[in-house]
Amino acid sequence: MNNIDIIRDLPKLDLHCHLSGSIRPETILEIARLEGIPHHTDDLEEFKGYVQAPSECKSLKEYLQRFELTLSVMQKKEYLQRIAYELIEDVSKQNIYYLEIRFAPFFHLDGGLTFDGAVEAVLAGMEEGRRDFGVISNLILILMRHHSPQKSLEAVKQGKKFLNKGVVAIDLAGNEHDFPPQLHREAFELAREYGFHRTVHAGETGIPENIITAVKELHAERIGHGVHAYRNQEVYDFVKEKGIPLELCLTSNIQTKAIESYSAHPIKRYLEDGIVVTANTDNMTVSNTDLIQEYEKLVTEIGFSLEDLRRVILNGLEASFASEEDKDHLRRLFNEKFEIHFSK
Ligand SMILES: [Zn+2]
């Protein structure tokens, strides 16, 4: 078996995957047509250019524009359920056995859905996917930096009823430059009190210091991206010493101009230096990638060995917000599958 076949075959997990960035282009187009949403073109190949970011985006802002259309097709219960279900089907083909999906319920209320209705729809699709494809998945509720602290608090309070019923954590995402993490401290404190896990997008396109703030003030257990940790020695040492897992997303980091090129990405340096790195997709559609392609890039562009990949996968398993029972199951399953490709 060559390396590419082995990469395909490896058991995988993805901890950082946005639902709105990972919808099949054909589904976006179909719903846009059905709902009469303006969609540039009816030609699927051409349409993909409007929902996938170019490999050379000018900025995070240009990257984020891709989400305007995807969010517009996620305003009804049946669509949210279908989109979540299809994502599970798609990841099952990549040998992903565990997936953490994240979405911001407040972005899905334009068509009359309630907060609860939106969460229930996504959970229903995930559950259906688990039944049909055997993929275990959990949901992370995203709070937005530019929303008011009160709105974040409200999300935590409303999300509580789903805790450990498919929802496991909260996240903070959005404009890192204008809205510091501590604005949402109260929401994260309440979330911790309730028993939500916490992850926070920080140090993605600058401001590495946000990583320390996210951990100290928002009680983040993991950091979304954190790719810029290397730019501040204090932050770097902090992440390393505390063993804070970083949810790195290679292709996305390059498209958003967080990092210049694959070869300039610090993931290998981080891994070799003992930082807990994980490799994820961020947005399968918008970044036009999947986890197989991300692992291939790690090997071909960054010089990862298969053993490095195994470490990254196992880091992900331990850093996941899965229940202890699911983790035990995944540990057994992954070790069984690793035995095919690795001598002990
Ligand atoms: Zn993200």
Side-chain angles (χ1 to χ4, degrees):
M1 220 186 244
N2 64 32
N3 271 2
I4 299 301
D5 290 334
I6 294 174
I7 289 169
R8 283 184 183 284
D9 197 55
L10 286 178
K12 303 172 188 68
L13 49 92
D14 192 337
L15 302 182
H16 193 125
C17 176
H18 292 260
L19 186 63
S20 59
S22 308
I23 316 171
R24 291 177 190 168
E26 43 274 60
T27 299
I28 305 174
L29 185 57
E30 189 188 318
I31 299 173
R33 271 196 202 127
L34 276 170
E35 295 292 325
I37 296 164
H39 52 277
H40 310 286
T41 173
D42 279 317
D43 178 77
L44 178 62
E45 284 314 306
E46 202 187 321
F47 179 71
K48 284 180 183 171
Y50 292 97
V51 289
Q52 293 167 345
S55 47
E56 288 295 314
C57 264
K58 286 188 198 70
S59 63
L60 178 63
K61 207 172 159 196
E62 190 187 346
Y63 184 82
L64 294 177
Q65 276 167 2
R66 296 295 184 280
F67 291 92
E68 286 168 17
L69 186 58
T70 68
L71 286 173
S72 67
V73 302
M74 302 173 77
Q75 303 298 334
K76 283 189 178 172
K77 200 173 173 116
E78 62 266 36
Y79 298 147
L80 279 173
Q81 181 168 347
R82 169 182 170 179
I83 287 163
Y85 176 79
E86 289 179 349
L87 176 58
I88 301 284
E89 181 175 17
D90 292 345
V91 305
S92 73
K93 291 177 184 155
Q94 303 164 38
N95 282 331
I96 289 177
Y97 290 90
Y98 177 75
L99 176 69
E100 286 177 10
I101 299 175
R102 56 187 76 196
F103 95 124
F106 287 126
F107 283 161
H108 305 275
L109 313 184
D110 294 347
L113 266 178
T114 60
F115 182 100
D116 288 2
V119 175
E120 278 162 9
V122 175
L123 289 176
M126 289 161 59
E127 184 50 42
E128 218 186 326
R130 181 176 184 146
R131 200 189 58 213
D132 289 355
F133 308 107
V135 177
I136 301 171
S137 61
N138 281 312
L139 189 59
I140 298 173
L141 304 179
I142 304 175
L143 316 181
M144 296 306 298
R145 291 192 136 86
H146 67 278
H147 285 167
S148 68
Q150 288 70 26
K151 200 158 184 170
S152 291
L153 260 178
E154 198 190 315
V156 171
K157 286 177 187 162
Q158 295 206 60
K160 188 181 178 211
K161 62 178 86 61
F162 300 104
L163 188 57
N164 300 322
K165 296 184 178 108
V167 171
V168 287
I170 58 163
D171 174 27
L172 185 65
N175 181 341
E176 208 183 329
H177 286 270
D178 301 324
F179 301 93
Q182 55 271 31
L183 288 174
H184 300 273
R185 186 174 51 212
E186 221 182 314
F188 275 78
E189 260 167 14
L190 184 66
R192 182 171 73 157
E193 207 181 294
Y194 284 166
F196 282 94
H197 286 290
R198 286 91 45 203
T199 179
V200 171
H201 281 71
E204 179 180 3
T205 53
I207 327 181
E209 297 73 20
N210 276 348
I211 296 173
I212 293 186
T213 312
V215 173
K216 286 194 174 165
E217 299 204 30
L218 303 191
H219 315 292
E221 298 157 85
R222 299 193 320 228
I223 293 295
H225 301 288
V227 62
H228 279 263
Y230 71 91
R231 291 173 54 206
N232 177 321
Q233 193 60 42
E234 188 195 344
V235 174
Y236 190 84
D237 294 343
F238 178 84
V239 167
K240 188 177 158 179
E241 278 156 26
K242 299 264 181 203
I244 308 290
L246 300 183
E247 305 159 1
L248 294 168
C249 309
L250 217 56
T251 299
S252 162
N253 290 161
I254 290 154
Q255 284 175 319
T256 60
K257 286 275 185 286
I259 298 292
E260 261 317 297
S261 62
Y262 286 107
S263 56
H265 201 286
I267 187 169
K268 187 154 167 70
R269 196 192 338 163
Y270 286 0
L271 184 74
E272 283 168 355
D273 206 20
I275 286 182
V276 184
V277 298
T278 68
N280 313 280
T281 55
D282 209 10
N283 298 290
M284 293 191 197
T285 302
V286 175
S287 286
N288 191 19
T289 193
D290 62 27
L291 206 50
I292 293 173
Q293 292 179 53
E294 294 298 294
Y295 284 13
E296 279 176 9
K297 295 282 188 210
L298 286 172
V299 171
T300 58
E301 304 275 346
I302 301 198
F304 265 50
S305 65
L306 290 176
E307 187 52 47
D308 290 337
L309 280 184
R310 172 159 71 167
R311 268 177 70 194
V312 164
I313 295 167
L314 290 174
N315 280 349
L317 206 165
E318 297 310 323
S320 78
F321 297 145
S323 66
E324 277 313 310
E325 196 187 342
D326 284 341
K327 272 192 187 176
D328 276 343
H329 162 75
L330 291 165
R331 281 189 199 105
R332 273 195 301 275
L333 180 79
F334 279 33
N335 283 326
E336 238 169 63
K337 303 218 173 257
F338 283 143
E339 273 179 26
I340 306 168
H341 302 295
F342 296 89
S343 50
K344 279 184 188 164

